[in-house]
PDB file of all heavy atoms in Angstrom:
ATOM      1  N   GLY L 124      10.766   3.879   6.602  1.00  0.00           N
ATOM      2  CA  GLY L 124      10.280   4.124   7.932  1.00  0.00           C
ATOM      3  C   GLY L 124      11.278   4.855   8.812  1.00  0.00           C
ATOM      4  O   GLY L 124      10.937   5.243   9.950  1.00  0.00           O
ATOM      5  N   GLY L 125      12.519   5.201   8.272  1.00  0.00           N
ATOM      6  CA  GLY L 125      13.369   5.976   9.103  1.00  0.00           C
ATOM      7  C   GLY L 125      12.952   7.399   9.301  1.00  0.00           C
ATOM      8  O   GLY L 125      12.030   7.799   8.641  1.00  0.00           O
ATOM      9  N   GLY L 126      13.637   8.064  10.208  1.00  0.00           N
ATOM     10  CA  GLY L 126      13.380   9.459  10.500  1.00  0.00           C
ATOM     11  C   GLY L 126      14.148   9.978  11.624  1.00  0.00           C
ATOM     12  O   GLY L 126      15.172   9.359  12.045  1.00  0.00           O
ATOM     13  N   LEU L 127      13.826  11.073  12.122  1.00  0.00           N
ATOM     14  CA  LEU L 127      14.448  11.791  13.256  1.00  0.00           C
ATOM     15  C   LEU L 127      13.541  11.683  14.404  1.00  0.00           C
ATOM     16  O   LEU L 127      12.388  12.074  14.415  1.00  0.00           O
ATOM     17  CB  LEU L 127      14.759  13.207  12.877  1.00  0.00           C
ATOM     18  CG  LEU L 127      15.215  14.128  14.034  1.00  0.00           C
ATOM     19  CD1 LEU L 127      16.615  13.651  14.500  1.00  0.00           C
ATOM     20  CD2 LEU L 127      15.324  15.563  13.574  1.00  0.00           C
ATOM     21  N   VAL L 128      14.095  11.146  15.503  1.00  0.00           N
ATOM     22  CA  VAL L 128      13.343  11.035  16.819  1.00  0.00           C
ATOM     23  C   VAL L 128      14.259  11.434  17.948  1.00  0.00           C
ATOM     24  O   VAL L 128      15.524  11.471  17.818  1.00  0.00           O
ATOM     25  CB  VAL L 128      12.843   9.575  16.968  1.00  0.00           C
ATOM     26  CG1 VAL L 128      11.845   9.174  15.952  1.00  0.00           C
ATOM     27  CG2 VAL L 128      13.997   8.616  17.094  1.00  0.00           C
ATOM     28  N   GLN L 129      13.665  11.759  19.088  1.00  0.00           N
ATOM     29  CA  GLN L 129      14.329  12.103  20.312  1.00  0.00           C
ATOM     30  C   GLN L 129      14.707  10.739  21.020  1.00  0.00           C
ATOM     31  O   GLN L 129      14.072   9.702  20.842  1.00  0.00           O
ATOM     32  CB  GLN L 129      13.590  12.992  21.233  1.00  0.00           C
ATOM     33  CG  GLN L 129      13.425  14.393  20.706  1.00  0.00           C
ATOM     34  CD  GLN L 129      12.674  15.232  21.652  1.00  0.00           C
ATOM     35  OE1 GLN L 129      11.919  14.796  22.470  1.00  0.00           O
ATOM     36  NE2 GLN L 129      13.035  16.584  21.555  1.00  0.00           N
ATOM     37  N   ALA L 130      15.754  10.825  21.791  1.00  0.00           N
ATOM     38  CA  ALA L 130      16.101   9.604  22.597  1.00  0.00           C
ATOM     39  C   ALA L 130      14.891   9.228  23.441  1.00  0.00           C
ATOM     40  O   ALA L 130      14.232   9.984  24.027  1.00  0.00           O
ATOM     41  CB  ALA L 130      17.277   9.954  23.513  1.00  0.00           C
ATOM     42  N   GLY L 131      14.713   7.862  23.449  1.00  0.00           N
ATOM     43  CA  GLY L 131      13.596   7.293  24.135  1.00  0.00           C
ATOM     44  C   GLY L 131      12.368   7.071  23.224  1.00  0.00           C
ATOM     45  O   GLY L 131      11.404   6.431  23.694  1.00  0.00           O
ATOM     46  N   GLY L 132      12.430   7.588  22.068  1.00  0.00           N
ATOM     47  CA  GLY L 132      11.350   7.433  21.150  1.00  0.00           C
ATOM     48  C   GLY L 132      11.396   6.108  20.336  1.00  0.00           C
ATOM     49  O   GLY L 132      12.234   5.295  20.655  1.00  0.00           O
ATOM     50  N   SER L 133      10.455   5.998  19.443  1.00  0.00           N
ATOM     51  CA  SER L 133      10.221   4.770  18.739  1.00  0.00           C
ATOM     52  C   SER L 133      10.127   5.034  17.261  1.00  0.00           C
ATOM     53  O   SER L 133       9.564   6.114  16.864  1.00  0.00           O
ATOM     54  CB  SER L 133       8.972   3.927  19.143  1.00  0.00           C
ATOM     55  OG  SER L 133       9.134   3.587  20.586  1.00  0.00           O
ATOM     56  N   LEU L 134      10.538   4.004  16.483  1.00  0.00           N
ATOM     57  CA  LEU L 134      10.237   4.017  15.011  1.00  0.00           C
ATOM     58  C   LEU L 134      10.007   2.636  14.599  1.00  0.00           C
ATOM     59  O   LEU L 134      10.486   1.619  15.231  1.00  0.00           O
ATOM     60  CB  LEU L 134      11.502   4.501  14.230  1.00  0.00           C
ATOM     61  CG  LEU L 134      11.798   5.994  14.247  1.00  0.00           C
ATOM     62  CD1 LEU L 134      13.119   6.229  13.597  1.00  0.00           C
ATOM     63  CD2 LEU L 134      10.664   6.745  13.471  1.00  0.00           C
ATOM     64  N   ARG L 135       9.295   2.409  13.522  1.00  0.00           N
ATOM     65  CA  ARG L 135       9.134   1.108  12.906  1.00  0.00           C
ATOM     66  C   ARG L 135       9.599   1.112  11.516  1.00  0.00           C
ATOM     67  O   ARG L 135       9.003   1.789  10.689  1.00  0.00           O
ATOM     68  CB  ARG L 135       7.609   0.620  12.941  1.00  0.00           C
ATOM     69  CG  ARG L 135       7.527  -0.848  12.508  1.00  0.00           C
ATOM     70  CD  ARG L 135       6.071  -1.364  12.673  1.00  0.00           C
ATOM     71  NE  ARG L 135       5.200  -0.783  11.640  1.00  0.00           N
ATOM     72  CZ  ARG L 135       4.051  -1.301  11.211  1.00  0.00           C
ATOM     73  NH1 ARG L 135       3.590  -2.453  11.844  1.00  0.00           N
ATOM     74  NH2 ARG L 135       3.288  -0.721  10.371  1.00  0.00           N
ATOM     75  N   LEU L 136      10.599   0.326  11.300  1.00  0.00           N
ATOM     76  CA  LEU L 136      11.134   0.201   9.863  1.00  0.00           C
ATOM     77  C   LEU L 136      10.414  -0.949   9.158  1.00  0.00           C
ATOM     78  O   LEU L 136      10.037  -1.951   9.759  1.00  0.00           O
ATOM     79  CB  LEU L 136      12.644  -0.059   9.895  1.00  0.00           C
ATOM     80  CG  LEU L 136      13.543   0.927  10.668  1.00  0.00           C
ATOM     81  CD1 LEU L 136      14.972   0.480  10.521  1.00  0.00           C
ATOM     82  CD2 LEU L 136      13.259   2.355  10.248  1.00  0.00           C
ATOM     83  N   SER L 137      10.255  -0.823   7.915  1.00  0.00           N
ATOM     84  CA  SER L 137       9.649  -1.814   6.988  1.00  0.00           C
ATOM     85  C   SER L 137      10.602  -2.245   5.878  1.00  0.00           C
ATOM     86  O   SER L 137      11.335  -1.334   5.322  1.00  0.00           O
ATOM     87  CB  SER L 137       8.271  -1.299   6.413  1.00  0.00           C
ATOM     88  OG  SER L 137       7.380  -0.963   7.423  1.00  0.00           O
ATOM     89  N   CYS L 138      10.562  -3.528   5.511  1.00  0.00           N
ATOM     90  CA  CYS L 138      11.318  -3.987   4.391  1.00  0.00           C
ATOM     91  C   CYS L 138      10.400  -4.754   3.458  1.00  0.00           C
ATOM     92  O   CYS L 138       9.896  -5.817   3.866  1.00  0.00           O
ATOM     93  CB  CYS L 138      12.473  -4.884   4.833  1.00  0.00           C
ATOM     94  SG  CYS L 138      13.447  -5.610   3.571  1.00  0.00           S
ATOM     95  N   ALA L 139      10.029  -4.142   2.373  1.00  0.00           N
ATOM     96  CA  ALA L 139       9.098  -4.763   1.442  1.00  0.00           C
ATOM     97  C   ALA L 139       9.999  -5.635   0.364  1.00  0.00           C
ATOM     98  O   ALA L 139      10.882  -4.998  -0.202  1.00  0.00           O
ATOM     99  CB  ALA L 139       8.314  -3.769   0.644  1.00  0.00           C
ATOM    100  N   ALA L 140       9.683  -6.825   0.264  1.00  0.00           N
ATOM    101  CA  ALA L 140      10.419  -7.709  -0.585  1.00  0.00           C
ATOM    102  C   ALA L 140       9.662  -8.170  -1.756  1.00  0.00           C
ATOM    103  O   ALA L 140       8.399  -8.418  -1.668  1.00  0.00           O
ATOM    104  CB  ALA L 140      10.924  -8.967   0.218  1.00  0.00           C
ATOM    105  N   SER L 141      10.293  -8.318  -2.933  1.00  0.00           N
ATOM    106  CA  SER L 141       9.627  -8.809  -4.088  1.00  0.00           C
ATOM    107  C   SER L 141      10.685  -9.501  -5.036  1.00  0.00           C
ATOM    108  O   SER L 141      11.882  -9.376  -4.847  1.00  0.00           O
ATOM    109  CB  SER L 141       9.009  -7.630  -4.877  1.00  0.00           C
ATOM    110  OG  SER L 141      10.014  -6.705  -5.326  1.00  0.00           O
ATOM    111  N   GLY L 142      10.098 -10.309  -5.887  1.00  0.00           N
ATOM    112  CA  GLY L 142      10.998 -11.060  -6.865  1.00  0.00           C
ATOM    113  C   GLY L 142      11.617 -12.273  -6.345  1.00  0.00           C
ATOM    114  O   GLY L 142      12.518 -12.782  -6.883  1.00  0.00           O
ATOM    115  N   PHE L 143      11.153 -12.868  -5.192  1.00  0.00           N
ATOM    116  CA  PHE L 143      11.663 -14.103  -4.648  1.00  0.00           C
ATOM    117  C   PHE L 143      11.254 -15.236  -5.394  1.00  0.00           C
ATOM    118  O   PHE L 143      10.119 -15.407  -5.757  1.00  0.00           O
ATOM    119  CB  PHE L 143      11.294 -14.214  -3.187  1.00  0.00           C
ATOM    120  CG  PHE L 143      12.006 -13.327  -2.208  1.00  0.00           C
ATOM    121  CD1 PHE L 143      11.415 -12.158  -1.780  1.00  0.00           C
ATOM    122  CD2 PHE L 143      13.306 -13.578  -1.802  1.00  0.00           C
ATOM    123  CE1 PHE L 143      11.984 -11.275  -0.924  1.00  0.00           C
ATOM    124  CE2 PHE L 143      13.864 -12.648  -0.915  1.00  0.00           C
ATOM    125  CZ  PHE L 143      13.272 -11.545  -0.496  1.00  0.00           C
ATOM    126  N   THR L 144      12.174 -16.172  -5.659  1.00  0.00           N
ATOM    127  CA  THR L 144      11.839 -17.544  -6.306  1.00  0.00           C
ATOM    128  C   THR L 144      12.303 -18.636  -5.438  1.00  0.00           C
ATOM    129  O   THR L 144      12.227 -19.831  -5.912  1.00  0.00           O
ATOM    130  CB  THR L 144      12.437 -17.609  -7.719  1.00  0.00           C
ATOM    131  OG1 THR L 144      13.903 -17.408  -7.635  1.00  0.00           O
ATOM    132  CG2 THR L 144      11.934 -16.513  -8.559  1.00  0.00           C
ATOM    133  N   PHE L 145      12.950 -18.433  -4.231  1.00  0.00           N
ATOM    134  CA  PHE L 145      13.386 -19.427  -3.376  1.00  0.00           C
ATOM    135  C   PHE L 145      12.484 -19.641  -2.186  1.00  0.00           C
ATOM    136  O   PHE L 145      11.746 -18.711  -1.812  1.00  0.00           O
ATOM    137  CB  PHE L 145      14.785 -19.208  -2.946  1.00  0.00           C
ATOM    138  CG  PHE L 145      15.064 -17.758  -2.722  1.00  0.00           C
ATOM    139  CD1 PHE L 145      14.753 -17.128  -1.491  1.00  0.00           C
ATOM    140  CD2 PHE L 145      15.776 -16.967  -3.698  1.00  0.00           C
ATOM    141  CE1 PHE L 145      15.034 -15.796  -1.293  1.00  0.00           C
ATOM    142  CE2 PHE L 145      15.996 -15.640  -3.453  1.00  0.00           C
ATOM    143  CZ  PHE L 145      15.644 -15.072  -2.249  1.00  0.00           C
ATOM    144  N   ASP L 146      12.518 -20.855  -1.576  1.00  0.00           N
ATOM    145  CA  ASP L 146      11.643 -21.107  -0.494  1.00  0.00           C
ATOM    146  C   ASP L 146      12.247 -20.760   0.868  1.00  0.00           C
ATOM    147  O   ASP L 146      11.495 -20.093   1.657  1.00  0.00           O
ATOM    148  CB  ASP L 146      11.315 -22.700  -0.491  1.00  0.00           C
ATOM    149  CG  ASP L 146      10.512 -23.056  -1.718  1.00  0.00           C
ATOM    150  OD1 ASP L 146       9.713 -22.280  -2.256  1.00  0.00           O
ATOM    151  OD2 ASP L 146      10.810 -24.262  -2.188  1.00  0.00           O
ATOM    152  N   ASP L 147      13.396 -21.082   1.208  1.00  0.00           N
ATOM    153  CA  ASP L 147      14.004 -20.876   2.450  1.00  0.00           C
ATOM    154  C   ASP L 147      14.959 -19.769   2.452  1.00  0.00           C
ATOM    155  O   ASP L 147      15.947 -19.789   1.618  1.00  0.00           O
ATOM    156  CB  ASP L 147      14.619 -22.222   3.014  1.00  0.00           C
ATOM    157  CG  ASP L 147      13.665 -23.354   3.133  1.00  0.00           C
ATOM    158  OD1 ASP L 147      12.530 -23.050   3.555  1.00  0.00           O
ATOM    159  OD2 ASP L 147      13.987 -24.496   2.892  1.00  0.00           O
TER     160      ASP L 147
END
């Protein structure tokens, strides 16, 4: 989700997770 934006603009980053075997 990164990129180049002008000051005052917005971005939304995403983090996709996989392979978890723990609860907390």
Side-chain angles (χ1 to χ4, degrees):
L127 173 63
V128 298
Q129 292 184 332
S133 298
L134 285 172
R135 187 176 72 161
L136 305 183
S137 299
C138 178
S141 63
F143 288 99
T144 60
F145 36 82
D146 295 327
D147 298 321

